[in-house]
Amino acid sequence: MEMAEENLNKKRHTKYRYYGSFLILALLLVILFLWNINSGSISISVPEIFRIIFQQKGEETAMNIIWQIRLPRILSAILLGGALSVSGFLLQTFFHNPIAGPFVLGISSGAKLVVALVMIFLLGRGWTVSSWALILAAFLGSMVSMGFVLLVSKKVHQMSMLVISGVMIGYICSAITDFVVTFADDSNIVNLHNWSLGSFSGMTWENVEVMAMIVLAGVIAAFFLSKPMGAFQLGEAYAQNMGVNVALFRVMLILLSSILSACVTAFAGPISFVGIAVPHLVKSILKTAKPLLVIPACFLGGAVFCLFCDMIARTVFAPSELSISSVTAVFGAPVVIFIMIKRQKLN
Amino acid sequence: MKNKCYFYTDKMTVGYDGKPLIKEIKIELLRGQILTLIGPNGAGKSTILKSITKQLKILGGCVYLDQKQMKELSGKETARKMAVVLTDRMKPELMTCEDVVAAGRYPYTGSLGILNEEDRAKTREALELVQALELADRDFSAISDGQKQRILLARAICQEPEMIVLDEPTSFLDIRHKLEFLSILKKLVRERQVAVVMSLHELDLAQKISDLIICIKGEYVDKSGTPEEIFTDDYISSLYEIKKGSYHSNFGCVELPAPSGKPEVFVIAGGGSGISCYRRLQREGIPFITGVLHENDIDYEAARTLACEVIAESAFEPVSEAHYIAALEKMKQCREVKCCLDHFGTGNAANQRLLAEAEKQGKLI
């Protein structure tokens, strides 16, 4: 009797933990949204911001700043941050390792390289580059890097070796990207340099629409893979025995994580460590790794993390901007080190 | 016969990468029966288990589960009939034991895998069956190997299978946990009429728990049958190619080889009193002779493989004068005499005389 009651209490306790975590993440998102929209080189009062957003009335410069600059930027930080951390979680599930992520495995850099090549090629001919073309290029690059990572993972079974080879691919791709960006001296390519370091700036509503479609579709698809993912966490053999089509499931994981991280790279360039740090933090808050909870929480957490980092990137040394990757690295890299130390202890 | 079997294979050939390892395997198993695969390391026990659980493609022949060809069953159908306990060391992140067990509900839950009341009840039932209810909220990666195996068995039970396949489930466990695990398994088989196929390294346990044994060695199944048919001294010694030491079917245990050389000690024993002395002499590498033992004495079983020579009397007969004299002769050749007996009866009165003689010769230690 006593045990049953204690059990019930524990159940209630974990439930509160889940509700609480989502509530905190949602609250943080709202606060950061407001903070972000309210900060910048030109100060606009809060009532005015509300008027501009909800009634679309206000002074023209302020209207433009809010609608054309700050809102698209904030929305892309939310969408892409969410996409990046969900992508990281999918890769961690795939490799059964918490330090897998699109950046450390070189997938982001592969995408970056192909996007840069495509942009330079198209812009050099005076053509415009649509969001879809960017995403396609990034996806192509992601898949090439991913293919390479998968090949290596068949040969080496140590995760650390895999990460090292991922980091090496990343360096090679970045070096080539830098090379082509430096020598492509076209006025249109000025932005390319900022982009290749990672930035949420210069987003248009067209960009936001396209990324919203892809990211939301990708995250929802990932959410509906929660069940086989949970089985897969026990190991492939167990998943297979419980009726998971393991081969198909693995392909789905790879495709979804590549699409999500490709979308991020296409618009914001490579962003480091979000894909590892956020899933880890989210799991520590929830105290569970159940995909059904972790995937939505990762999306929220990634959005919060990127909004926070983007705010720092654009305000700390205003008017000059930091690249988003340098900020995410400052907050994300320690988390990665922490995970590795913890794993060492466990083994 | 075949139609009654819950699980059977017909000329199944298994192997890796299209290369056959073991050919034409025939398994026939009813519900409520335990079938154990034994055989030397690397013989292919795991390959067979992986093949019947669909982790490896079968290279030839057919496998039938509940009257249907296994390759025609969907993943979900198979999952509801067959569960596994594997050797892979699972390291799930942030999962309680209850989570691990509840994962077994996979084939029964909806598209998001959310557990309902029934699933929770089944989970607790499975935990209870393996006597691990108190582990429910513990982190799976923080419990002992013995506990882990029980939780993994509970996970398999939670899947409500009609057949469970276990790959060396007791390998990492200490003796207490081995016994606990197998008695839970036996109880499960009896209560739920589950068919079990497993591989075991421990021959003594395999002999006791199994209804059927299949011996794997070489390209074909070496032999299959009931434990009584399989566990004979000669067969097991040849299956494992035991050259040093020997296997005792009656004890279900192995003995190390007897020390070689000229016998140095004569041991007077009987009724089980001598076994520990024989083993000590074996450890110390001292060759010995023992007697006079009856052939139905358990000392006789051990002495047969450990002593240079055993002076034995037919079962249920008093020790004859001839055997007494033979023993006395041997005793004279030895440097020391050891007596493990503290009382004598009419059957072995001769041993008492041997003891007195030894004392007279001043060889008794």
Side-chain angles (χ1 to χ4, degrees):
Chain A
M1 222 27 230
E2 219 169 82
M3 209 170 133
E5 201 168 294
E6 197 180 304
N7 211 324
L8 220 68
N9 272 335
K10 261 183 196 149
K11 287 269 141 62
R12 215 173 290 147
H13 188 80
T14 44
K15 240 181 201 164
Y16 286 151
R17 173 177 282 281
Y18 299 156
Y19 292 145
S21 311
F22 277 98
L23 201 70
I24 289 170
L25 286 173
L27 261 175
L28 282 173
L29 189 65
V30 172
I31 292 169
L32 283 163
F33 180 88
L34 293 176
W35 199 343
N36 255 293
I37 207 155
N38 196 25
S39 58
S41 49
I42 291 172
S43 73
I44 305 166
S45 70
V46 178
E48 203 179 344
I49 289 172
F50 274 99
R51 216 170 23 248
I52 288 170
I53 294 179
F54 293 109
Q55 299 171 351
Q56 307 214 10
K57 271 187 230 152
E59 193 231 330
E60 183 143 353
T61 334
M63 278 281 280
N64 272 339
I65 286 173
I66 298 291
W67 278 98
Q68 300 309 324
I69 298 173
R70 291 191 193 165
L71 264 181
R73 181 168 186 158
I74 290 168
L75 288 177
S76 21
I78 291 175
L79 287 166
L80 299 181
L84 207 47
S85 39
V86 171
S87 166
F89 179 66
L90 299 182
L91 286 174
Q92 284 143 29
T93 307
F94 184 91
F95 287 108
H96 295 291
N97 195 297
I99 52 172
F103 191 80
V104 291
L105 291 177
I107 295 158
S108 299
S109 312
K112 173 172 117 168
L113 175 60
V114 178
V115 170
L117 290 175
V118 167
M119 274 170 103
I120 287 165
F121 180 80
L122 293 179
L123 291 175
R125 274 159 187 69
W127 298 342
T128 52
V129 186
S130 76
S131 301
W132 293 103
L134 284 182
I135 289 179
L136 200 68
F139 183 63
L140 212 77
S142 298
M143 290 312 286
V144 171
S145 293
M146 183 62 106
F148 188 79
V149 169
L150 290 178
L151 268 180
V152 174
S153 76
K154 277 210 166 154
K155 297 261 182 261
V156 298
H157 295 284
Q158 248 176 315
M159 191 62 201
S160 50
M161 290 304 293
L162 192 65
V163 169
I164 289 172
S165 64
V167 170
M168 294 304 139
I169 299 172
Y171 272 114
I172 295 168
C173 292
S174 290
I176 301 174
T177 313
D178 286 347
F179 188 79
V180 292
V181 168
T182 312
F183 285 93
D185 58 343
D186 189 296
S187 57
N188 280 328
I189 301 170
V190 175
N191 277 337
L192 210 57
H193 184 67
N194 281 337
W195 166 85
S196 74
L197 293 174
S199 168
F200 288 120
S201 67
M203 297 289 173
T204 65
W205 278 102
E206 191 247 0
N207 293 152
V208 174
E209 269 166 35
V210 173
M211 77 176 74
M213 270 189 269
I214 293 178
V215 168
L216 293 180
V219 170
I220 288 168
F223 182 73
F224 279 97
L225 281 183
S226 292
K227 187 183 168 182
M229 234 182 274
F232 198 76
Q233 284 173 336
L234 296 186
E236 269 149 63
Y238 280 105
Q240 189 257 3
N241 174 253
M242 287 190 270
V244 180
N245 184 341
V246 173
L248 180 71
F249 173 73
R250 285 168 61 113
V251 171
M252 295 285 281
L253 275 188
I254 289 295
L255 283 180
L256 279 177
S257 61
S258 297
I259 289 171
L260 287 173
S261 72
C263 188
V264 177
T265 311
F267 293 113
I271 300 177
S272 57
F273 297 112
V274 179
I276 305 175
V278 173
H280 177 76
L281 294 173
V282 159
K283 281 183 280 187
S284 332
I285 299 170
L286 289 170
K287 289 222 168 102
T288 180
K290 283 183 192 132
L292 197 66
L293 294 161
V294 173
I295 290 172
C298 262
F299 184 79
L300 274 178
V304 167
F305 190 80
C306 281
L307 267 186
F308 176 70
C309 291
D310 190 39
M311 199 180 64
I312 291 177
R314 66 195 187 93
T315 54
V316 170
F317 294 111
S320 65
E321 255 186 45
L322 289 169
S323 79
I324 182 74
S325 261
S326 13
V327 185
T328 53
V330 167
F331 291 100
V335 177
V336 177
I337 295 172
F338 176 76
I339 299 172
M340 291 200 293
I341 293 173
K342 209 174 90 178
R343 272 170 66 82
Q344 199 65 43
K345 262 188 209 155
L346 271 178
N347 293 339
Chain B
M1 171 67 194
K2 267 192 180 171
N3 293 332
K4 272 196 281 172
C5 285
Y6 181 74
F7 175 83
Y8 65 94
T9 64
D10 187 23
K11 292 194 170 152
M12 175 176 75
T13 297
V14 302
Y16 283 99
D17 302 326
K19 278 181 220 129
L21 190 64
I22 305 158
K23 292 172 193 161
E24 293 177 23
I25 304 159
K26 188 173 144 200
I27 299 176
E28 292 180 336
L29 189 65
L30 300 167
R31 288 186 66 171
Q33 278 188 327
I34 297 179
L35 178 136
T36 306
L37 307 178
I38 62 168
N41 281 339
K45 300 188 289 286
S46 290
T47 314
I48 293 180
L49 295 181
K50 279 182 184 156
S51 302
I52 62 181
T53 55
K54 284 177 157 180
Q55 284 175 62
L56 283 177
K57 268 214 164 60
I58 286 165
L59 303 179
C62 296
V63 183
Y64 296 88
L65 181 66
D66 199 10
Q67 314 304 329
K68 288 184 199 89
Q69 274 226 36
M70 267 192 84
K71 61 181 173 198
E72 281 159 21
L73 293 172
S74 71
K76 192 173 177 180
E77 280 174 303
T78 311
R80 289 185 175 196
K81 290 180 192 297
M82 183 193 271
V84 294
V85 175
L86 303 166
T87 40
D88 314 24
R89 300 215 118 186
M90 197 191 335
K91 273 192 208 151
E93 208 188 347
L94 293 171
M95 274 179 108
T96 62
C97 294
E98 192 175 0
D99 291 338
V100 173
V101 176
R105 298 304 298 165
Y106 189 92
Y108 303 94
T109 54
S111 59
L112 284 178
I114 296 166
L115 304 173
N116 61 22
E117 265 322 299
E118 192 198 341
D119 296 321
R120 289 189 194 287
K122 297 270 186 200
T123 305
R124 304 212 67 84
E125 206 178 286
L127 276 166
E128 214 157 7
L129 195 80
V130 301
Q131 296 151 27
L133 211 48
E134 74 282 357
L135 295 176
D137 295 312
R138 295 272 298 278
D139 187 342
F140 181 79
S141 46
I143 60 173
S144 74
D145 283 341
Q147 292 168 329
K148 273 184 189 160
Q149 281 305 77
R150 265 161 45 207
I151 295 296
L152 289 176
L153 180 62
R155 191 210 63 83
I157 293 168
C158 210
Q159 220 170 312
E160 296 187 282
E162 285 154 350
M163 173 166 167
I164 298 184
V165 177
L166 306 96
D167 194 358
E168 287 177 13
T170 53
S171 284
F172 297 112
L173 309 187
D174 62 29
I175 185 72
R176 177 191 138 198
H177 289 106
K178 278 188 212 288
L179 292 174
E180 266 178 19
F181 185 87
L182 291 178
S183 37
I184 290 167
L185 187 66
K186 193 88 193 170
K187 188 171 137 210
L188 172 75
V189 168
R190 230 183 349 248
E191 282 178 7
R192 303 202 174 180
Q193 289 297 300
V194 177
V196 168
V197 175
M198 65 176 164
S199 59
L200 280 182
H201 261 314
E202 299 86 351
L203 295 178
D204 50 335
L205 298 174
Q207 184 180 12
K208 280 153 207 160
I209 195 172
S210 319
D211 298 299
L212 295 164
I213 303 277
I214 286 187
C215 309
I216 317 292
K217 188 191 175 192
E219 250 182 82
Y220 296 90
V221 167
D222 204 52
K223 194 172 176 184
S224 65
T226 61
E228 293 74 30
E229 289 163 346
I230 302 293
F231 288 98
T232 62
D233 299 358
D234 292 343
Y235 179 66
I236 293 297
S237 296
S238 80
L239 175 67
Y240 284 89
E241 293 173 13
I242 298 176
K243 294 197 184 79
K244 293 188 167 159
S246 57
Y247 174 80
H248 280 277
S249 57
N250 289 344
F251 296 165
C253 74
V254 289
E255 293 291 358
L256 291 162
S260 56
K262 195 177 160 293
E264 293 173 29
V265 179
F266 189 94
V267 182
I268 302 170
S273 65
I275 293 176
S276 59
C277 176
Y278 300 155
R279 290 193 177 141
R280 199 181 62 242
L281 289 168
Q282 192 281 333
R283 274 201 306 277
E284 290 166 3
I286 302 167
F288 64 93
I289 299 178
T290 183
V292 178
L293 301 173
H294 286 98
E295 280 168 5
N296 59 343
D297 194 312
I298 63 167
D299 275 350
Y300 176 72
E301 287 289 334
R304 259 186 332 138
T305 57
L306 292 175
C308 305
E309 200 179 336
V310 187
I311 297 154
E313 182 57 80
S314 314
F316 308 116
E317 293 289 339
V319 175
S320 68
E321 196 59 21
H323 281 121
Y324 166 70
I325 289 167
L328 199 61
E329 230 17 72
K330 294 288 174 194
M331 202 168 83
K332 276 186 191 149
Q333 293 164 18
C334 293
R335 146 173 81 75
E336 282 171 355
V337 177
K338 203 166 161 23
C339 181
C340 305
L341 291 169
D342 48 21
H343 70 277
F344 303 87
T346 51
N348 65 348
N351 284 348
Q352 198 163 16
R353 284 160 61 203
L354 279 176
L355 176 63
E357 199 60 38
E359 242 168 317
K360 213 188 287 170
Q361 293 175 11
K363 284 183 179 172
L364 195 71
I365 45 162

